[in-house]
Amino acid sequence: MTGHEDLDSLWRKARPDDLASLRRLDAALVRSGYQVRGRTVREWIAASAQDRIRWFDGREASDRILEAGLAAVPALVEALARADAESSWQASLNLRGQCVAALGTIEPLPTCAIPALLDVLHQPVARVRRMALAVLARMRPRASPLALRALLPCVQEQGDPQTRMLATQVLAALQAPLPEEVRAAGLSRLADAHPAVRRAGLQVLARFGQDEATLTAMEEHAVVDDENRLEALRMLSSLAPSRGIPRLLKLASNARARKQVGATPQAWRGPLGETRRSEDGKKALLFIGRLGARGAQALASLDALRAVEVLAPYADAVIDDITRAVLRQQAPPLRTERLQEPLRAALLMDIAWPTERTVEPFEALRPWLASLAPSGAETKVRVALAATRRVLGLWETQHPNNDGPRRAVMAMDHWFVEPTEANAAQVAELGNLTPSQFCAPDAFSAAWAVTYASRCLARTSTDEDALSACVQAACRALSRQSVITFALGTSQEPSEPLGPLEAARQVHRAILDEVLPWACGAWDPVRDTPRLRATLRADGWRVPGQAG
């Protein structure tokens, strides 16, 4: 039998990127008779072959494998290698699918299993290959000859656009440096018949940075691809703001133009053309806002677009986002010793993040949020506003023609400048939002975060827990989960949702980033933003230290 001290040492040395360390742990656990709920890991894996191929859905065998965590990785890799030896084709298929699903669900991700997953790409069953590709995109393999030999045939898979899309997304996620054949594969996907595959091709090109050929390809693609015009311009503006921002502004200005069949993209013609043009214009503005201080060159044009009624809330919002980013860029380093002791202790309190999968990570934030309550109502509202601001874009990107949540957040900002009863009533009115259950889960939860944030201004006892509800909704939004009830829509966000723990960490970080500067007396992300905005406007929108 292996001693407890030896096992503890092997557990500590187990690394998700080192299969040898996991095999040493596995061997020791086998010798010690290690079991999970009465069975060994290999017995649970064998039992999972009886379940139909699917992502993990809470069945006992899959739950027990996940409970073993990294210790199950060697057995999963072995099971993948011997899947063909199963008694039936269906059992082989089920086993392979369950192993791939497990390797993509164990945390931290066992990147040492990448070679085994690449080998799955040579299997004939498309569904299993797609599952493996989805996991590989999260694991980010090196651009090795082994990886390219497995991926490039999938990129060219005839008759299976989903496989082509997923394989191209893996190419876009490969670790640098990327060889030229990856760029060539990305360029070839720009001519694909399916928009999602073309979008993935753009993601590959974005990995090559400010290379002139890459930027030119994006500019040209924005002209010819109606479905991916916005995505091409978003990437172009991120890589080269001076080349992308003018095109985004032109797209936004088209929202007020009359429909001209001979001069507008195909997607803007027909009975829904006006709505599509409005949506594209608002999304173009939101993309400029995501550039932060790098979008400062657009301030004067954004100010002019405030005169366009359908664009006014988003033009205002983007000006504020850019101005706030300029403030953050110019601010001196924080000196937390200037905090008042109770607020310092509360804000900088260590968070006891859970280690068990059964505990929702947000629950670790409840004691922290409760510790902020004695600091006063203003702190409470600032925390809610910061959490909401972090996720508001999830709503706006998918529902740009519904600016209710944005107007509610802007009303909260205005309340800070003028904390009158009338402005508080305006926040309550605009924040009384009830999103449809047919929204995607991330947009649904983001809208509820705004609703709960607005209730933090209320003085009634029924709203005492509004802050916790707001922060929980924000955490759920980032991990693409619905809050309160089920949301039945599908997310349009191309990015991978965050895991619940990472989502909670990011919301916590967003709150600190906005509340700490005010608490330290360094600068105020809420009240200083309109002040700087007025100064910049009076100075012709010239930002000190910004080119152009």
Side-chain angles (χ1 to χ4, degrees), residues 254 257-262 264 268-274 277:
N254 283 329
R258 287 184 174 274
K259 181 172 60 179
Q260 299 176 2
V261 174
T264 56
W268 289 352
R269 302 171 192 167
L272 299 179
E274 297 290 339
R277 183 161 60 247

Side-chain angles (χ1 to χ4, degrees), residues 149-221:
R149 282 197 301 270
L151 289 169
L152 291 178
C154 294
V155 169
Q156 300 170 357
E157 184 79 34
Q158 296 296 319
D160 189 353
Q162 188 175 3
T163 294
R164 294 201 303 274
M165 177 194 72
L166 290 169
T168 308
Q169 288 176 344
V170 179
L171 290 184
L174 291 174
Q175 297 182 37
L178 300 180
E180 278 301 312
E181 55 192 312
V182 173
R183 186 208 299 267
L187 282 170
S188 70
R189 291 307 95 202
L190 297 186
D192 199 279
H194 292 266
V197 182
R198 299 198 298 271
R199 189 176 304 119
L202 287 169
Q203 293 167 2
V204 173
L205 291 186
R207 290 293 310 281
F208 288 87
Q210 297 181 336
D211 175 85
E212 181 62 29
T214 295
L215 299 179
T216 300
M218 288 183 174
E219 288 174 332
E220 293 174 348
H221 198 73

Side-chain angles (χ1 to χ4, degrees), residues 407-484:
R407 289 181 184 274
V409 170
M410 292 172 69
M412 291 182 70
D413 281 328
H414 187 57
W415 176 84
F416 271 98
V417 178
E418 297 181 35
T420 64
E421 290 294 333
N423 285 337
Q426 180 77 350
V427 171
E429 178 182 350
L430 292 173
N432 187 21
L433 306 163
T434 305
S436 167
Q437 279 187 256
F438 291 99
C439 295
D442 49 355
F444 181 82
S445 296
W448 274 111
V450 176
T451 298
Y452 290 130
S454 69
R455 294 177 183 174
C456 289
L457 272 69
R459 295 189 173 91
T460 60
S461 59
T462 57
D463 290 307
E464 288 180 354
D465 202 36
L467 179 59
S468 290
C470 170
V471 174
Q472 183 179 29
C475 294
R476 290 288 185 91
L478 285 182
S479 57
R480 208 169 287 174
Q481 300 177 49
S482 61
V483 69
I484 299 179

Side-chain angles (χ1 to χ4, degrees), residues 310-357:
V310 296
L311 297 179
Y314 289 127
D316 266 328
V318 172
I319 291 173
D320 282 349
D321 288 346
I322 294 173
T323 305
R324 189 176 295 106
V326 170
L327 278 168
R328 190 178 304 280
Q329 188 180 71
Q330 297 176 348
L334 292 181
R335 297 179 58 187
T336 55
E337 67 271 14
R338 297 178 59 186
L339 281 166
Q340 295 178 359
E341 187 57 34
L343 187 54
R344 170 192 170 90
L347 283 171
L348 300 181
M349 183 178 80
D350 290 334
I351 307 297
W353 299 110
T355 56
E356 298 292 330
R357 292 175 52 87

Side-chain angles (χ1 to χ4, degrees), residues 251-285:
L251 199 62
S253 67
N254 283 329
R256 62 180 171 185
R258 287 184 174 274
K259 181 172 60 179
Q260 299 176 2
V261 174
T264 56
Q266 183 67 35
W268 289 352
R269 302 171 192 167
L272 299 179
E274 297 290 339
T275 299
R276 175 67 182 274
R277 183 161 60 247
S278 173
E279 288 184 355
D280 285 359
K282 293 170 183 177
K283 288 181 180 180
L285 293 182

